[in-house]
Amino acid sequence: MNEQQRKEMSQIIQGDAADRKSGQDKPLKEKTSEDFAKYFETTYEPPNLNKARKRGRDEINVHYNFQIPEDIKNIGNGKKFLIRTYGCQMNEHDTEVMAGILTEMGYESTSDTKEADIILLNTCAIRENAENKVFGEIGHLKPLKLEKPDLILGVCGCMSQEESVVNRIMQKHQHVDLIFGTHNIHRLPQLIKESMFSKEANVVEVWSKEGDIIENLPKVRHGKIKAWVNIMYGCDKFCTYCIVPMTRGKERSRRPKDIIQEVRHLAAQGYKEITLLGQNVNAYGKDFGDITYGLGDLMNDIHKIDIPRVRFTTSHPRDFDDRLIEVLAQGGNLLDHIHLPVQSGSSEVLKRMNRKYTRESYLELVSKIRKAMPNATLTTDIIVGFPNETEEQFEETLSLVEEVGFESAYTFIYSPREGTPAARKKDDVPMEVKKQRLYRLNDLVNKQSAEAMKAYKDKVVKVLVEGESKNNPDVLAGYTERNKLVNFKGPKSSIGQIVDVKITEAKTWSLDGIMVENTVEVNHNG
Ligand code: SAH
Ligand code: SF4
Ligand code: F3S
């Protein structure tokens, strides 16, 4: 950033750890424009991946006193917001929190960009194409911003945590008003206010070091049937290809009582399914200094709550312990679908990825799971074309996919991410070869998926009905316990219920069926 650009940013906040602490323990103090000018002259730094990589040993504080300052509470009255979400479930859930905060500020939601007074792009940095999509959208929104100067255009989420992205936005996309990261979502009210009163400049607030845990944030959930529940934030695994530990900070777990209270509340509101969220949920609780309590214990406690379906994502094979397997084997509302990203079938590649397990230990874990849960469905994530992956190593991935019998997989071509160790490696695998590997892998996965679907023909499955099918309003759609999409004929009154559906046709990615009469009732623990 040159001096001129610095000058153009007249109001910039840099939140360092000390600033953050004082800000969160008391209601956040209003800063005057002089304060901002001072900050801008002396302390602005872009987000810093080096800083983000360092894990502090400080205790993580949990804050229960979130509130929107009185003078900001009604700032959105008569105004509308739109949030575009990219990336994973974590981002989708963050969007629900931001929607909750904006709603409490008086804003209403809209899906029409032209109607919006505030547009937020909640971004993902996982692969280059994810970032390209966002830059495309920032460009598309420029004419609208020029036409409507009062529009607040904000960029948040994982891309905002990247130094290069923030610099690029400030240099090339000056129509963006607001940039904030993943650790300071609770500061949205103050940031919007600053943005409103500084129309000529960007407001940037990105914390490179991870934040504390803020409980009691308002949420506007996407639906009334399924809900996300964060159980932990961040990731400490540092897989060599992955940007997430830098964009989401260190692992920090929510206290069990807060999670259990949220799940109970969702059950009381009539939600039928929850998905517990974390980048590596198997590390849940490892950061507690005072209690020994892990994911197995949490699942065991949630098992007792009267909510029909409980899922969790994402599992890391490394921390998947026997206690969890034992608890999951109880069944009931704990569904026997496990998403267990393997990334590669070659121990050598896994080592270079810093995954800290081998092909053999992964297979051992799978057989333990299968022994305890014979009907479990396994799905996975796989990266092809990791730097210098050989044909033989790739074939080991194919053979592992067959051996485990994954019923579906998210497959990706490796994408170098700035600031990660793998991105510094020379890579002798041409893109054309990587693409061919992806096609070959997808062919195998599709074949296995179709095969697994065929087994459902003429069977009766339990479907949580989510609504009308996307392509045909006369047909309903929902998911089985093992997460298979089912389109079927049945009464609209079954929406939001778990019903029995007889499968009449199996396709590669979905099943067709007919509802079995008299099953429109909630089927607890079944
Ligand atoms: N925390 C989860 C997944 C996080 S990201 C886990 O560890 O399993 C989702 C998936 O994106 C990863 O499982 C991986 O397959 C893929 N991914 C992550 N970084 C990538 C990169 N640089 N290039 C290609 N795919 C990547
Ligand atoms: Fe990324 Fe690995 Fe963490 Fe998953 S476990 S988020 S792949 S660093
Ligand atoms: Fe993307 Fe961030 Fe999720 S990088 S995958 S949105 S944690």
Side-chain angles (χ1 to χ4, degrees):
M1 186 175 32
N2 61 34
E3 206 44 41
Q4 180 57 29
Q5 281 155 344
R6 269 178 189 274
K7 290 258 147 64
E8 279 166 9
M9 298 185 314
S10 65
Q11 296 191 337
I12 280 170
I13 320 158
Q14 162 68 10
D16 58 18
D19 187 31
R20 202 162 71 217
K21 276 230 162 70
S22 63
Q24 287 172 2
D25 288 337
K26 330 180 202 91
L28 290 150
K29 207 180 101 213
E30 257 336 294
K31 291 192 164 89
T32 64
S33 45
E34 266 169 30
D35 286 334
F36 284 107
K38 210 159 84 198
Y39 265 102
F40 146 68
E41 288 299 345
T42 55
T43 65
Y44 172 72
E45 290 171 37
N48 181 323
L49 287 183
N50 276 330
K51 256 195 198 170
R53 207 175 285 124
K54 294 204 178 96
R55 292 296 188 252
R57 285 181 191 278
D58 329 340
E59 214 175 280
I60 292 290
N61 295 309
V62 188
H63 302 269
Y64 294 93
N65 59 352
F66 172 82
Q67 53 185 357
I68 299 173
E70 278 307 315
D71 62 324
I72 313 184
K73 240 180 190 156
N74 299 317
I75 223 169
N77 281 355
K79 295 188 173 144
K80 298 202 166 153
F81 74 91
L82 185 156
I83 309 176
R84 284 244 147 91
T85 314
Y86 304 80
C88 65
Q89 296 96 330
M90 219 85 46
N91 258 16
E92 283 179 28
H93 191 43
D94 284 349
T95 289
E96 293 180 331
V97 171
M98 293 190 282
I101 294 175
L102 291 167
T103 303
E104 284 209 353
M105 291 167 69
Y107 286 94
E108 275 174 55
S109 88
T110 175
S111 53
D112 181 355
T113 47
K114 292 202 189 74
E115 259 187 27
D117 300 282
I118 170 159
I119 299 178
L120 298 178
L121 305 181
N122 190 8
T123 63
C124 171
I126 201 82
R127 285 169 288 274
E128 195 185 352
N129 57 3
E131 296 204 350
N132 290 344
K133 268 193 228 157
V134 171
F135 278 114
E137 186 63 13
I138 293 175
H140 287 148
L141 290 168
K142 188 170 182 179
L144 186 68
K145 171 71 193 178
L146 294 178
E147 204 179 286
K148 210 174 150 181
D150 282 344
L151 168 72
I152 295 177
L153 176 57
V155 176
C156 55
C158 287
M159 278 171 71
S160 317
Q161 296 290 148
E162 293 182 289
E163 189 173 338
S164 57
V165 168
V166 172
N167 287 342
R168 179 166 161 194
I169 292 175
M170 294 205 298
Q171 284 163 14
K172 301 211 175 113
H173 304 279
Q174 282 166 4
H175 60 290
V176 171
D177 303 285
L178 172 62
I179 305 175
F180 61 99
T182 57
H183 306 314
N184 52 343
I185 287 174
H186 59 286
R187 297 252 313 135
L188 190 54
Q190 287 84 351
L191 295 172
I192 289 177
K193 186 181 170 198
E194 288 318 319
S195 231
M196 278 183 175
F197 295 109
S198 68
K199 297 309 301 168
E200 306 307 319
N202 315 78
V203 171
V204 180
E205 184 184 273
V206 180
W207 294 345
S208 293
K209 286 207 173 174
E210 58 283 344
D212 288 351
I213 291 178
I214 318 290
E215 290 293 344
N216 304 342
L217 289 170
K219 297 175 186 98
V220 173
R221 296 189 188 267
H222 186 60
K224 303 236 167 295
I225 303 170
K226 303 207 286 191
W228 309 114
V229 177
N230 272 130
I231 64 167
M232 60 186 300
Y233 304 95
C235 181
D236 283 348
K237 290 293 165 284
F238 290 98
C239 302
T240 52
Y241 50 80
C242 186
I243 193 74
V244 172
M246 276 72 88
T247 64
R248 291 273 168 176
K250 77 174 171 190
E251 285 175 359
R252 47 210 195 278
S253 306
R254 286 179 73 197
R255 304 301 297 188
K257 70 170 174 45
D258 296 327
I259 298 169
I260 288 165
Q261 190 187 41
E262 184 173 346
V263 176
R264 286 220 176 95
H265 190 60
L266 290 166
Q269 287 177 291
Y271 280 88
K272 299 293 187 300
E273 179 177 308
I274 54 157
T275 303
L276 306 178
L277 288 183
Q279 283 301 343
N280 167 19
V281 287
N282 305 76
Y284 175 76
K286 290 192 192 302
D287 54 317
F288 292 147
D290 53 343
I291 49 170
T292 309
Y293 187 93
L295 183 64
D297 304 304
L298 180 68
M299 295 299 278
N300 198 39
D301 282 337
I302 291 177
H303 174 68
K304 297 171 197 149
I305 299 176
D306 194 9
I307 192 151
R309 291 182 168 194
V310 180
R311 301 184 191 276
F312 59 101
T313 199
T314 302
S315 278
H316 193 300
R318 178 174 155 195
D319 295 319
F320 208 110
D321 57 24
D322 292 351
R323 165 79 176 139
L324 178 62
I325 297 176
E326 174 197 309
V327 169
L328 293 179
Q330 299 173 85
N333 59 2
L334 310 181
L335 305 182
D336 49 9
H337 167 216
I338 296 175
H339 186 66
L340 194 62
V342 67
Q343 313 300 356
S344 167
S346 151
S347 294
E348 173 53 34
V349 174
L350 288 170
K351 193 166 171 204
R352 283 194 273 125
M353 288 177 163
N354 192 32
R355 290 290 287 183
K356 300 261 168 62
Y357 55 86
T358 60
R359 175 190 178 94
E360 292 70 33
S361 64
Y362 185 91
L363 288 171
E364 227 168 84
L365 174 61
V366 167
S367 75
K368 255 200 233 170
I369 294 172
R370 290 231 189 275
K371 210 161 146 210
M373 305 162 69
N375 296 321
T377 286
L378 287 169
T379 56
T380 200
D381 292 353
I382 295 170
I383 296 176
V384 301
F386 187 72
N388 307 315
E389 179 192 60
T390 64
E391 172 62 22
E392 291 71 34
Q393 287 164 341
F394 169 67
E395 284 173 12
E396 284 188 80
T397 297
L398 292 180
S399 74
L400 181 116
V401 167
E402 272 184 297
E403 198 167 334
V404 176
F406 292 118
E407 294 190 13
S408 79
Y410 294 103
T411 57
F412 311 101
I413 292 182
Y414 166 73
S415 171
R417 308 314 297 133
E418 193 181 322
T420 61
R424 291 193 289 272
K425 291 269 178 288
K426 259 187 69 201
D427 184 0
D428 63 10
V429 190
M431 185 44 88
E432 207 30 58
V433 171
K434 297 188 188 211
K435 282 187 184 157
Q436 285 306 324
R437 287 182 188 165
L438 186 71
Y439 298 145
R440 286 161 66 196
L441 175 62
N442 286 347
D443 274 351
L444 176 63
V445 171
N446 292 352
K447 203 178 97 212
Q448 290 189 187
S449 171
E451 216 41 56
M453 289 303 204
K454 260 196 227 155
Y456 285 97
K457 180 106 199 297
D458 300 327
K459 297 250 162 68
V460 174
V461 288
K462 297 213 175 296
V463 176
L464 172 54
V465 191
E466 292 188 16
E468 291 167 3
S469 150
K470 271 192 201 130
N471 306 324
N472 180 355
D474 296 334
V475 170
L476 299 176
Y479 286 85
T480 69
E481 291 176 347
R482 298 196 195 129
N483 220 22
K484 308 283 188 222
L485 174 62
V486 182
N487 292 303
F488 67 99
K489 294 226 163 70
K492 297 256 150 82
S493 58
S494 65
I495 293 174
Q497 309 285 331
I498 295 173
V499 300
D500 287 339
V501 175
K502 179 156 184 191
I503 301 305
T504 51
E505 200 187 332
K507 302 178 169 167
T508 306
W509 301 114
S510 64
L511 301 165
D512 287 348
I514 302 172
M515 194 177 112
V516 179
E517 290 305 318
N518 301 327
T519 58
V520 186
E521 62 183 350
V522 186
N523 194 322
H524 285 269
N525 285 348

